[in-house]
Amino acid sequence: MENTARITEKRTATAWKKPVSYNLQKKTRPTEAIIQAFLLFCGVVSILTTLGIVLELGKEAWLFFGDPEISVISFLTGTEWQPKIGKFGVLPLLNSTLITSVIAIVVALPLGIATAMFLSEYASPKMRSILKPILEVLAGVPTVVYGYFALTFMTPLLRGIFGSQNVDVYNMASAGLVMGIMILPLISSMSEDALSAVPRSLREAAYGLGATRLETALQVVLPAALSGIIAAFIIGVSRAVGETMIVAIAAGSGPNFTFNPFNAAETMTGYIARISGGDLSYNTPDYNSIFAIGLLLFLITFGLNILSRAISRRFREVYE
Amino acid sequence: MEDMNQPSKYVIETRGLNIFYGDFQAVKDISLQFERNRITAIIGPSGCGKSTVLRAFNRMNDFVPSAHATGEVLYHDQNINHPSVDAVQLRRLIGMVFQKPNPFPKSIYDNIAWGAKMNGFRGNTDDLVEETLRQAALWNEVKDNLKKSALALSGGQQQRLCIARALAVRPEIILMDEPCSALDPIATLKIEDLMRELSQNYTIIIVTHNMQQAARASDYTSFFTMDTDRAGIMVEYNETSLIFTKPKDQRTEDYITGRFG
Amino acid sequence: MNPMKPKTFGSNQEMQDAEKNFLYRRHQRARLAQSVFQLTTLLAVIFLATLLVTVVNKSMGYVVVENKVNPATLSDRPLSELNNTELAQILRENLRKNRVRTLERTGFLEDQSQSTLVQLVEAEIIQPEVVESYNLFPSLINRSKIKADAAVSYPNAKVEFRYWLNGVFLINSMASQPELAGVRSALLGSLQLILITILTAFPIGVGAAIYLEEYASHKSRINRLIQTNIDNLAGVPSIVYGILGLALFVRALQPFTSGALFGVDGQNGRTILSAGLTMALLILPILIINAQEAIRSVPDSLRQASYGLGATRWQTIWHHVLPGAMPGILTGTILAISRAIGETAPLIVVGASTFITSDPTGPFSSFTALPIQIYNWTTRPQPAFQHIAAAAILVLLIALLSLNAVAILLRNRFAKRV
Ligand SMILES: Nc1ncnc2c1ncn2[C@@H]1O[C@H](COP(=O)(O)OP(=O)(O)OP(=O)(O)O)[C@@H](O)[C@H]1O
Ligand SMILES: [Mg+2]
């Protein structure tokens, strides 16, 4: 300590001095400004993307509906989709999208919630550390692989169980079931987040009243986490509606207005994939139709996402 | 602008300073002057706005979106909240040491060199590092492994490193916000000695909860408390010896004798 | 009687029994429910196992191969030992003149590499055909029966065990016969596409994350709009991005994406560049959200220390925030990339070709990609294509697993440092 002062004296001359000026006048820092402008641009790209989607889809859809033969009403209510004879009713496509999605949700929602329940209320940390990566892998499998799985495993299985005369080679049930497996990890992880966000004190209150673990989980934790789980459910629906590859591979091609899940029927996404897979020429009704359907798809899923976010935000506010 | 040869007596002066977080007024009508090359302590109960005031001196409150201030903070007679003031340059002139030691996750050497280089230092970095570490009374402990991660140092050493780091950019003033609250008594004493040493060349403003520390280490003491709206107000400001022996205000006396309630 | 008195059962003993019974039933229910939860969770594991087993099962097994021409009649030595002249000789003798002329359009047969010539002899003359193929499990269980059946039905055929995922599969390109088709051009296509995706999405994504976390005031309306918008974009179906890519990159920006602007003789915008940019838009929201989280995890005390020394915002970010956040950002980027590698639908829409036999030659060439190949082969009716689809799926899954292993390593290193 004692030598500090000496050193200070000796050295300050060699090193650098205290500031010579107290001038605080703002400096111009062009690099800072340029960088900030670039970063702002990066942030705005996402807005541009959304605008791009809305404008491009809207523009082409406008051209599509601009055809005097096609009206929005007949598009939304028509039960026949046959571009060759000028029939553009989206209901057959929408119908099979809904059927496959409902099947998927019927599989994924109960399984997902039960899995979340097990992971958050019952599983030991060790068990969680094994199960969560497995769910992550399941979530990371590309959907084209799920499509392959549907066609080479699920479809033969269904045909074996229900008889190949009853089940088409391409059918909505197979696609829907496999889609359920695909969204199961999504629903379970979102639900688990919701369950574990429920404060510990609430559980302890229930235990303190003599409730069993099940009673606590079902009657206290689950209701408290309900809006989070509803948000998970909605996101799950949105994913199912937008899923393409599984239905393109396993649900069949060709619009078909049927309620029998064992029949082949093309979904909205499947139609877009099939039509754009061929050599598509611009400005044909075919080309424009994928934009009209794409716009419908975008509106449905974007709406669902916003709804889900609104619900989960409300849920988060309760516990903050 | 000032001539360095005839520096004004006060390096920092506040006039009627009010600071708000959103609608909440954290401090009310603070007027203080800080003398060159003196140590001034700010004491007061928790939540009375000591840190808030200290952070107003180098505009660290800019990073709290809800914070805004009225009144004046003068640095060599320039209002630092004036739009034409460069906050970056201001912070280079008014350094800060934080309550919790916060070294960068780099080597000891780089911790010191970085700030100086960034501020335009082009001399011999090795000399600068050695000199600054000696000033901070850390040199003997770390001279053999300057390339070691700063995070591997003890809390007290980390805090002295943070002081050294602040010294390396050659500030005029050093703000210290409870620099010893995370340290043991021996490390605390080391830092107090260091402050004394530094006060030959630097103006130091320190916030502390430790009454003995204020009494031991500072030349002036300012006592803050909260009024009925929970806004911080300044009660008394005087030479340290007077504050601790003949406080003028009953509240000051209650506080320093531990009868605060 | 006091109305406030709790209801009691007839006798004390009865009451105790009833209570015990009640409690017993509650516990029983709790145990039952626990096993149900456990079983459903196990289902997820079973699903994953089934999926993998299905793919592996299809990716190897016995095949019955029938050659159109017996190689022994072409030469008394194995083909691989013949030199170029001999191989070319065999081709000239066994193929029609027209075919030889087509093959020689780019140069004399003799000038081709030996392995190319062997491939040509196999594809053009020998034409091995898988007439019967079996999955792995039947192959293991019914080995002798398969051999016996083959001997009866195809007396000239050979029964061999085939790993559909083999060296030749990796270095061959697309072909019309499944036994000669490979993933080479698809792998290269995927690789180049991902490269473009990373180069575009990484700087923009990290930039946006920095902007939102370090510059934007969280109150301002435009910034809240950007944030909400990013969150919602993350949920837009991938095929919608494909449609956007088709309209924007393939069509509107055709001069750029086809390379015409750069003097490249591109015919249309259905290029690797368009696909890579589309994919970049697709992973951008995921990348931004992950990077934001990583940046948020850098302790504020570091920023304060840096600003306290008189650093500017960008100096603080560049020297302290980004280095601290980088492992997290990289992990997030890898996860986003694994998403891009497996995405199929947008590629179909922006016009990946399914039948490409040559390697992609850069950003302006037409292309195919691994998932596109899988899709294409899956939808073919001949069973042999299902086997090579399975082999391609294995390639894809192995690539994804290795990427994720890297991500986990990064994450662990990150966790240790903090
Ligand atoms: N970022 C912030 N946002 C809103 N209010 C704040 C913020 N920081 C401080 N405050 C409030 O301002 C008042 C003064 O806080 P400050 O940290 O300045 O007190 P302090 O005197 O330093 O207390 P301590 O001795 O505990 O450090 C407190 O009521 C505190 O709650
Ligand atoms: Mg404080």
Side-chain angles (χ1 to χ4, degrees), chain A residues 171-187:
Chain A
N171 65 80
M172 293 184 278
S174 165
L177 289 172
V178 172
M179 213 146 80
I181 297 176
M182 180 200 83
I183 51 181
L184 162 65
L186 177 76
I187 292 195

Side-chain angles (χ1 to χ4, degrees), chain A residues 242-264:
Chain A
E243 170 48 34
T244 307
M245 293 321 295
I246 299 177
V247 289
I249 290 174
S253 51
N256 182 5
F257 195 46
T258 170
F259 294 101
N260 181 352
F262 291 143
N263 285 351

Side-chain angles (χ1 to χ4, degrees), chain B residues 148-163:
Chain B
K148 203 167 74 170
S149 164
L151 299 177
L153 296 174
S154 77
Q157 289 172 327
Q158 286 188 6
Q159 193 64 303
R160 273 178 285 150
L161 179 67
C162 290
I163 295 177

Side-chain angles (χ1 to χ4, degrees), chain C residues 206-390:
Chain C
V206 176
I210 294 175
Y211 177 76
L212 288 170
E213 289 303 314
E214 302 287 324
Y215 285 86
S217 103
H218 298 272
K219 277 186 302 188
S220 101
R221 183 171 297 164
I222 167 97
N223 298 326
R224 274 222 311 271
L225 182 71
I226 294 179
Q227 186 71 63
T228 320
N229 186 52
I230 288 171
D231 293 344
N232 286 323
L233 274 183
V236 169
S238 56
I239 196 162
V240 172
Y241 283 96
I243 301 176
L244 174 67
L246 173 65
L248 189 64
F249 299 127
V250 176
R251 198 177 168 190
L253 297 179
Q254 173 167 351
F256 170 64
T257 50
S258 67
L261 211 60
F262 309 97
V264 178
D265 165 39
Q267 312 98 356
N268 59 31
R270 300 175 188 273
T271 56
I272 294 195
L273 184 60
S274 292
L277 293 177
T278 305
M279 219 48 119
L281 287 187
L282 174 93
I283 64 167
L284 210 45
I286 317 170
L287 216 152
I288 295 175
I289 291 171
N290 286 332
Q292 275 185 287
E293 218 158 275
I295 290 173
R296 232 176 285 142
S297 76
V298 174
D300 217 33
S301 64
L302 280 187
R303 294 184 186 85
Q304 305 243 344
S306 173
Y307 288 129
L309 289 173
T312 62
R313 213 182 264 270
W314 179 245
Q315 285 168 330
T316 303
I317 293 167
W318 182 251
H319 291 279
H320 303 295
V321 177
L322 280 184
M326 210 27 95
I329 293 178
L330 290 181
T331 313
T333 308
I334 290 177
L335 294 181
I337 289 170
S338 14
R339 166 92 191 269
I341 291 181
E343 271 299 345
T344 321
L347 296 185
I348 297 177
V349 182
V350 296
S353 324
T354 45
F355 196 93
I356 283 211
T357 51
S358 55
D359 294 348
T361 54
F364 305 117
S365 70
S366 56
F367 71 103
T368 183
L370 201 47
I372 290 286
Q373 255 355 292
I374 295 171
Y375 170 54
N376 180 256
W377 288 334
T378 303
T379 49
R380 299 263 189 126
Q382 302 95 310
F385 277 110
Q386 308 257 315
H387 294 296
I388 59 173

Side-chain angles (χ1 to χ4, degrees), chain C residues 67 69-79 82 90 121 125-126:
Chain C
N67 289 332
V69 173
N70 188 349
T73 62
L74 297 175
S75 158
D76 34 11
R77 282 181 296 152
L79 289 180
L82 300 180
I90 292 175
V121 172
I125 304 167
I126 302 175

Side-chain angles (χ1 to χ4, degrees), chain B residues 21 24 26 44-52 64 66 99 178 209 230:
Chain B
Y21 291 110
F24 170 68
S46 189
C48 68
K50 303 180 295 294
S51 303
T52 303
V64 183
S66 66
Q99 173 167 1
E178 303 183 39
H209 272 204
R230 306 186 36 80

